Amino acid sequence: MNNKVDAIGESLLRRFAGATSRRSMISKLGAVMVAAPVFPLLPVSRANAQKPDRSVEAKTAFGRNAQTRDDTKCDYWRYCAIDGALCSCCGGGVSSCPAGAQPSPVSWVGTCINPDQGKAYLIAYRDCCGKPYCGQCGCDNTDRATQLYVPQLNNNVIWCFGTSSMEYHCSTAVLVGAAK
Amino acid sequence: MTFPGCTWHVLLKTALLIGVALPIAAAEAQTTETPPMPPPPPANVDLKPEEAYTQKMLPPQPQWAYVRGGGGGGGVRIFDGATGKMRGEVDTSQRGDMAIDPASKYYYVADTIWTKSDRGTRQDFVAVYDTTELKLQVEIPIPGRIIIGGEKHNFILSDDGKTAYVYNYSPASSVNVVDLVKRKFVRAIELPGCASLMPNPVGFSALCSDGTMATIDTTGTKPVTTHGPHFFPATGDPIFSNFTYDKTKKQVTFVSYTGLVYQATMGATPTVAQPFSIQQAAGVRPGETTPLDVNWLPGGRGLMALHAPSGQLYVLMHKGEYWSQNEPGQEIWVLDLASHKVVKRHPLKAEISNIEVTQDAKPLLFINDKDGTTYVLDAQTMEEKRKIEKTGGGLILTADVGTPAMAAAATASTDGSGAN
């Protein structure tokens, strides 16, 4: 488990290092923040970590109804904790910003279950910034989302740190890696 | 300054006199009307040219509500619950936070703007507006603040109104302390892992990701941060960050996602009482975190409001499963904090996300939906008094001027402000 956490954290650090040459402090801090909550987020108990319960009875309402076909709908599986406009409805994609918008190097995270395979994945909800609110496909999913005192699991924060502007445009759902 | 045909001075001074002489009656008797417009002239009289002018308004009134735009835009609109009329608007950006001076002289706005609209140089500040002309008095620059909507406890005032605490997240967590008397930024205090601020006689306290409460003592030359014991699971059953605070009792009331009610008494070492279930207080089984378990659960944005004089807590409740914490309310549950009993459940005809209550002897409830319609209810009978459209769908605030002591203080201080 810890190795997985470390691997994800390291992977994130490498990605941030490659993508954000001049924002070392912010991006490193952000990477730590994204990586840190992996363990408590997992929808399984510590004792049962080897055999996660993916039965219908163990899934949240979102997890039971999630689909894998249409990423412009709020019930698309990766969006289990997204809040805001879907970039896939704004000229961008599930993991890409629309033209002219800047991806924030830090984000909040969710752990979502792919209903086709039953596996859980760590999803980074990377806000796209620097343009007025897109206004299309507004969603507010709240699986395992907590309050501001756990900011990396809070989907209300405008996650536009390290961008030239903090204007919020839309949100992506970048698959970071397997959570289990 | 004179206003042709206007009885504004008389109205205001009468209200002030009543407030000072009969503070208890003042809570009910204070007029919530703004100065009336001149009556239309008779049809057979020639109309005379007019001069445009700007109205003044009354200071915060017991039955006024301050409604934020929510996702729809900036400005905090002020509505009079007694008439349903809009009385004014405090200038804020979409994600600016407003606080009301307990002496009713000023509205404070913690806000962020850029020199070129959404780009350019960022400027963070606390703006000070007087409450009768809504004129910008001063902007106090601060190093930064969090940008977020829907949170009541990122910008708080000390009980005496002399100090403001502005939460900042950059994404490192800190609090900016502002001296509102000297109108100066004092210092930034690092606050790793904590947010959601509440006043404390020694400074302020905050909720933390390790399930503790941090208390920051600012009485010495250097701030001292201490953590109390773990008292809630911050990711397992989080406490809603839009809690309530009773300044008379120095008591904070929290509600968790499953419906546990925690009450903390503030001080150098805050104490937290054993929580109880709001569902059990209503004769319903307690909330669970288990999927597929459908129960009444608290939810919404500004989901709870306290009428401090009576100790009645109004909570938006909906039927759902765990992790439905943002779902709008389907009922209002009225919890009597002294007896731990839900004394009333009121079904809602609209999906309500925010609730607030006035602090006077005959309190009004203000509730709004995401479309920006606000309903005004009699908080005791739940009778719908009026429906106001296009108010804004964001958080609602009321001024703590309803209790006799506060009404007297407010009118006395307003008298000294020279509003005329």
Side-chain angles (χ1 to χ4, degrees), chain B residues 5 21 59 67 76 80 118 120 138 149 178 192 231 240 247 251 266 325 362 375 383:
Chain B
V67 186
V76 174
D80 182 347
D118 63 354
V138 65
V178 177
F231 75 98
F240 285 97
K247 71 161 67 172
Q251 195 171 65
M266 307 314 290
Q325 62 272 14
K362 291 186 176 175
Y375 300 84
E383 179 195 355

Side-chain angles (χ1 to χ4, degrees), chain A residues 29 33 57-61 64 130 140 142 144-151 156-159 161 165-167, chain B residues 95 114 118 122 146-148 154 169 193 207 209 232 234 238-241 257 291-292 301 321 323 325-326:
Chain A
L29 178 57
M33 289 175 49
E57 291 73 21
K59 284 184 181 173
T60 63
R64 291 196 303 275
D140 184 12
T142 53
R144 292 171 282 277
T146 177
Q147 300 283 296
L148 190 52
Y149 46 81
V150 191
N156 279 341
V157 176
I158 301 299
W159 286 95
F161 302 103
S165 161
M166 283 195 73
E167 182 105 10
Chain B
R95 295 186 178 89
W114 280 260
D118 63 354
R122 175 174 170 162
I146 190 170
I147 298 182
I148 190 173
N154 288 336
Y169 185 66
L207 292 173
S209 58
F232 75 104
I239 281 173
F240 285 97
S241 57
Y257 286 11
L292 291 169
R301 297 291 183 175
E321 293 178 46
W323 298 122
Q325 62 272 14
N326 285 5

Side-chain angles (χ1 to χ4, degrees), chain B residues 68-90:
Chain B
R68 285 172 58 155
V76 174
R77 298 181 185 85
I78 307 173
F79 292 92
D80 182 347
T83 61
K85 293 196 184 305
M86 181 165 164
R87 293 306 182 204
E89 183 185 59
V90 181

Side-chain angles (χ1 to χ4, degrees), chain A residues 33 147-152, chain B residues 167-169 171-174 190-196 206-214 227 232 234:
Chain A
M33 289 175 49
Q147 300 283 296
L148 190 52
Y149 46 81
V150 191
Q152 66 274 26
Chain B
Y167 181 66
N168 188 19
Y169 185 66
S173 179
S174 63
E190 290 184 7
L191 190 64
C194 309
S196 309
L207 292 173
C208 303
S209 58
D210 60 359
T212 67
M213 183 187 292
H227 285 259
F232 75 104

Side-chain angles (χ1 to χ4, degrees), chain B residues 12 40 45 76 177 179 188 284 373:
Chain B
L12 177 62
V45 174
V76 174
V177 183
D179 183 329
V284 175
T373 299

Side-chain angles (χ1 to χ4, degrees), chain B residues 362-379:
Chain B
K362 291 186 176 175
L364 295 176
L365 278 176
F366 290 83
I367 56 177
N368 66 4
D369 60 22
K370 64 179 170 46
D371 298 325
T373 299
T374 293
Y375 300 84
V376 186
L377 313 181
D378 181 315

